[in-house]
Amino acid sequence: MSGLFRISFQGLPDPRTGNARRHDFLDVLTIALTASICGAESCVDFALFARDRRALFEEFLELAGGLPSHDTFSRIFRLLDPSAFARCFEQFLGHLGEDGAGVLAIDGKTLRRSFDRAAGRSALHVVTAFASGARMVVGQRAVAAGENEITAARALLELFDLKGVLVTGDALHCQGETARLIQKRGGDWLFPLKDNRPTLRAEVERYFTDPATVLGDAHVTTDADHGRVEVRRHWTSPEVAWLVSDRRFPDEAPLPGLATLGLIERTVTGADQRTTTTRTLYLSSAQLDAKALAKAVRSHWTIEAAVHWVLDTSFDEDRARNRKDHGPENLAVLRKLALNVVRAANNTDSIRARRKRAGWSDEYARAILGQMR
């Protein structure tokens, strides 16, 4: 692993000074990433794992300064520049072969236990970019003081060449400036239309409910699980000229490049046979038919199951207690690095099982880490 890892991270500035540089900087990061892949969840865990697996690390690290302590791991992740760490993260993904095409889902998540009440610091909120086709996290950015999720997402999107990419987000990101940025970077956008744009939503909703509106056949999908059945009906319309030229709601003017209106109706029947129906409106700059809308929206929500849920259940992220300085943000990057490496190991085990087996077996760990050489 160390060869590929060093190529990607060799330009990362070492935040330590003087005698604190006893341990090779990239050795410490390599041990932390390997330990995280194998189930470690904290700086104390990283140090314990290094001690227990010293023979494994001696196969590809020199360890001239011996094994780092948990204080060494903690100091590095507290002081490390998170922006520089994130840039190296992106280079590392490039070496793993991420092509960037398809749907890029943008979504925010709060690390609930990262708050520091004594220092008056709120919990860290991180915006993640997830390439749903490759099922890889391709970037993250923390919401800085004075920012919000919208501005943090724009800063993250500025890092990508979005040619051939459909960027999706929740209704919070249904903003003209965000849409313009995506198009400037060469991509298309798809956002739900909800109550944060009430007048525009009312106009589009009226269009879909007007008996005079002619729509094609719905694309229908059905999911059934644990006695719960969900039927989704999807419609799209390219008739946007009336909306683009309408000036009745200048404060909520349509997003630039608008090409498609979408509607998804979800009917859920529970195990108790009670039925509920909800309708969600969508706007997009891409020309989408009903089937393409269904695929894109489903791709967006994979970020919940493939990233947020996995980080919470397999990496225990919501209970991560690191709170000092840049520690929470840098360890969030490290967890996503580990998730990508584990997911890139093509076998039939679950993410949780892959991490456990890597922790139990040196042979299994080498098989996962071998792809990074």
Side-chain angles (χ1 to χ4, degrees), residues 96-114:
L96 282 181
E98 170 56 31
D99 60 15
V103 172
L104 183 71
I106 301 294
D107 198 30
K109 180 180 185 290
T110 298
L111 278 63
R112 302 184 184 214
R113 300 300 293 274
S114 61

Side-chain angles (χ1 to χ4, degrees), residues 150-219:
I150 296 170
T151 54
R154 290 172 189 160
L156 180 58
L157 289 169
E158 285 275 15
L159 303 175
F160 298 109
D161 177 0
L162 298 175
K163 185 176 180 181
V165 174
L166 179 64
V167 178
T168 62
D170 60 25
L172 179 70
H173 300 289
C174 190
Q175 307 281 337
E177 186 175 341
T178 303
R180 279 188 289 273
L181 170 62
I182 292 168
Q183 291 192 298
K184 178 182 175 182
R185 305 295 296 171
D188 280 305
W189 48 265
L190 169 67
F191 301 124
L193 181 60
K194 295 188 176 180
D195 286 340
N196 59 326
R197 299 177 70 101
T199 310
L200 183 56
R201 176 183 177 179
E203 292 290 336
V204 177
E205 191 167 34
R206 188 175 297 117
Y207 169 79
F208 277 109
T209 57
D210 188 338
T213 300
V214 178
L215 298 173
D217 293 336
H219 174 69

Side-chain angles (χ1 to χ4, degrees), residues 1-2 5 14 26 72 83 100 113 117 126 128 157 159 180 211 229 233 313 316 344 362:
M1 179 181 71
S2 67
F5 192 82
D14 186 343
L26 293 184
T72 298
S83 297
R113 300 300 293 274
R117 187 173 289 112
V126 173
T128 298
L157 289 169
L159 303 175
R180 279 188 289 273
V229 178
R233 297 175 177 84
T313 58
D316 213 14
D362 283 358

